[in-house]
Amino acid sequence: MLYICDPKNFFMQNKLQEITDKLYQEGLVKGKDEAQLIITEAEKQAASILEKANQQAEQVRVNAEKQAKDIQSNAMAEIKMAGRQMMTSIKTSIEGAIIAKTIAPATRSAFEQTEFVKELVKIALTKFSVDEENQGLTVLLPKNKQTELENYMSESIGKILQIGLNVQFDEKLQNGLKIQSKGDGYWISLTDADFVELFKDYIRPKLQEILY
């Protein structure tokens, strides 16, 4: 049996197919364009994120280097300070040892001599002026030299000053003497330790010049 196709139907089918194909192609092209646009935008965002990440990484590196340099600089400053303090301590120890071996024994030996102590007492006491407000002096002397100094203090010094001295002998005082002015109420200490400290102030600059 022979079927005859209606030309109108055939034309409509072809037209519908064309429209369908066109819509498909347009949709396909549009889809590709949108996909490309999405890809391009994603690539831009990825590049931006990567750039920011690189910038942050560089900043972290710069900060880390700066912090490391600061730590190194502070450590070197501390080491230098510690070195200077150590050298100062060593110098002080050397100076003290030299002084202890030279000045201290000689000074102590002098103060052990009764004649030296007598002369020291005489010189020290004659420097005091005695007036109505300062009626006399108190002199403190070593107990271990009481026999040798007692008569000397009551006779020779008393006559020189023409005042009544209050002389006391103290077991705690090893050598030298201490003087108190009654009017002013202060003590003057003249022992071997006092003289050693006095000599240190004069000797230390010259000693440092010789040593260093």
Side-chain angles (χ1 to χ4, degrees), residues 6 10 14 24 75 81 93 102 127 132 134 162 171 208:
D6 188 350
F10 180 76
N14 287 340
Y24 173 76
M81 182 182 297
S93 298
T102 55
K127 298 300 180 181
E132 294 181 356
N134 186 16
Q162 296 180 351
E171 293 181 352
Q208 291 176 347

Side-chain angles (χ1 to χ4, degrees), residues 16 23 28 32 42 48 54 60 64 71 74 89 94 107 118 128 135 156 159 165 170 173 188 192 203:
L16 182 60
L23 291 174
L28 185 61
K32 289 182 178 179
S48 177
N54 289 334
V60 169
I71 293 174
N74 292 336
S89 177
I94 293 173
T107 304
K118 288 180 179 180
F128 282 83
Q135 295 298 323
S156 301
K159 290 178 181 179
L165 289 177
D170 189 356
L173 186 61
I188 296 178
D192 63 334
I203 293 175

Side-chain angles (χ1 to χ4, degrees), residues 62-81:
V62 171
N63 291 340
E65 288 182 354
K66 183 179 182 300
Q67 186 176 10
K69 289 180 180 179
D70 291 341
I71 293 174
Q72 183 181 16
S73 177
N74 292 336
M76 290 302 297
E78 291 294 332
I79 291 172
K80 288 180 180 179
M81 182 182 297

Side-chain angles (χ1 to χ4, degrees), residues 111-122 139-158 165 167-169 173-177:
F111 274 84
E112 289 175 354
Q113 299 175 22
T114 304
E115 293 303 318
F116 174 81
V117 176
K118 288 180 179 180
E119 188 64 21
L120 182 63
V121 171
K122 178 180 176 181
V139 181
L140 199 65
L141 295 169
K143 182 71 173 177
N144 56 19
K145 293 187 181 296
Q146 181 172 355
T147 303
E148 300 166 291
L149 294 175
E150 198 164 25
N151 292 335
Y152 176 76
M153 293 299 299
S154 62
E155 295 179 5
S156 301
I157 295 298
L165 289 177
V167 180
Q168 298 179 11
F169 293 90
L173 186 61
Q174 297 300 314
N175 55 53
L177 69 150

